[in-house]
Amino acid sequence: MNVIVLGASSAIGAGVAEAFSPGNRLLVTGRDIPRLRRSADRCRAEGASHVVEVACDLRHGSGELEKTAQVWQPDLIINAASATSRLRDHQISIGEMKGIIAADLLTPFELIQAVLANRGSRPVGILFISTMLSVVKSPDREIYGALKRIHEKILLGMAASQPDLQLLIVRISKWIPPDVESMETKKLGLAVLDGYRGGKQVLYYGFPGRVMTALYYAQPLLFGLAVRMNRFALKRY
């Protein structure tokens, strides 16, 4: 299987790339060249049949990456890249928004559209590393969560209109440092691999995510219950 990994120089991207390495051909991309090289070396050590490194910054568009993808003919695109994963809302300036939107939305979809347009009858999978903040809002990370939420919605729409498109969205609810490889990133990579092989469309990683999701979707019910209790109390008095 030919696999493209966007954001392979991050700890999470490297962990997922390693998990998908055995027996596969990988094209790994990232902004941090030394970290990207280390990630590529680990993929080789994990049994990848061939690894190519492409240093690129998604804030500047897909450009050369699209041309490389046409030659590579990927069977799977893994997107673990994000320009906002380390940032709180107050740290993001208006001047940075153009590059951020390009990295977190436009460039990955430019690449996906180019790959799908040239795939012929060959099935292609998409694996998106997202966050629980796409579902549960955070007071100081709403920009990050909103961009992930939009990304998810577009991918789910694509999967609904193209039944042969295998999609997995991974919503992470645990804090995993983006620059520190650890047993946690390896664990995450293996969980993502199992989820993809199992044909899941949405995977929650981390127990807190299930609790947060349940509470989020229970909000309307809890609000309705509170209103009813209030009305009952008013009637009694």
Side-chain angles (χ1 to χ4, degrees):
M1 182 165 68
N2 293 343
V3 183
I4 290 181
V5 184
L6 305 179
S9 59
S10 71
I12 290 175
V16 175
E18 281 184 56
F20 280 81
S21 291
N24 293 324
R25 301 173 73 245
L26 272 72
L27 189 154
V28 293
T29 78
R31 286 182 291 172
D32 188 320
I33 296 175
R35 290 178 62 83
L36 181 63
R37 287 174 179 161
R38 288 198 295 273
S39 177
D41 288 341
R42 285 195 297 275
C43 290
R44 294 183 184 101
E46 288 295 323
S49 59
H50 186 56
V51 181
V52 173
E53 305 154 38
V54 177
C56 71
D57 188 338
L58 298 183
R59 292 175 297 183
H60 302 146
S62 54
E64 292 299 315
L65 192 54
E66 282 189 40
K67 295 177 185 176
T68 306
Q70 286 181 15
V71 176
W72 194 258
Q73 295 189 332
D75 303 296
L76 172 64
I77 300 171
I78 299 174
N79 184 8
S82 174
T84 51
S85 60
R86 302 167 177 83
L87 302 176
R88 305 284 175 181
D89 290 345
H90 71 274
Q91 297 172 309
I92 299 173
S93 68
I94 295 299
E96 295 174 304
M97 285 305 297
K98 186 175 180 180
I100 284 172
I101 292 171
D104 285 26
L105 282 176
L106 300 181
T107 300
F109 281 111
E110 285 174 359
L111 177 63
I112 290 169
Q113 293 286 13
V115 169
L116 295 180
N118 292 284
R119 66 173 170 160
S121 59
R122 179 172 49 86
V124 173
I126 299 173
L127 198 162
F128 177 51
I129 303 298
S130 187
T131 171
M132 273 306 304
L133 298 182
S134 67
V135 178
V136 181
K137 295 183 179 181
S138 167
D140 62 349
R141 302 209 67 200
E142 183 56 18
I143 293 174
Y144 171 66
L147 288 168
K148 292 288 190 183
R149 185 159 55 249
I150 294 168
H151 203 125
E152 286 188 16
K153 292 293 184 183
I154 296 172
L155 287 175
L156 289 168
M158 291 173 66
S161 63
Q162 302 180 56
D164 62 334
L165 183 66
Q166 183 177 352
L167 170 66
L168 172 60
I169 293 170
V170 182
R171 292 176 180 153
I172 300 175
S173 63
K174 299 178 77 171
W175 166 244
I176 302 176
D179 298 323
V180 181
E181 286 104 24
S182 63
M183 287 304 297
E184 190 65 54
T185 56
K186 288 182 178 292
K187 229 170 109 180
L188 168 63
L190 293 173
V192 170
L193 177 61
D194 286 344
Y196 187 75
R197 285 176 172 171
K200 288 188 176 183
Q201 190 170 72
V202 178
L203 171 68
Y204 292 95
Y205 183 78
F207 178 75
R210 296 181 178 89
V211 176
M212 290 164 68
T213 303
L215 290 173
Y216 177 80
Y217 285 110
Q219 284 182 83
L221 295 175
L222 294 173
F223 179 76
L225 179 62
V227 170
R228 286 177 176 273
M229 290 177 67
N230 186 52
R231 287 176 179 169
F232 178 74
L234 288 173
K235 284 181 180 178
R236 289 189 64 183
Y237 294 98

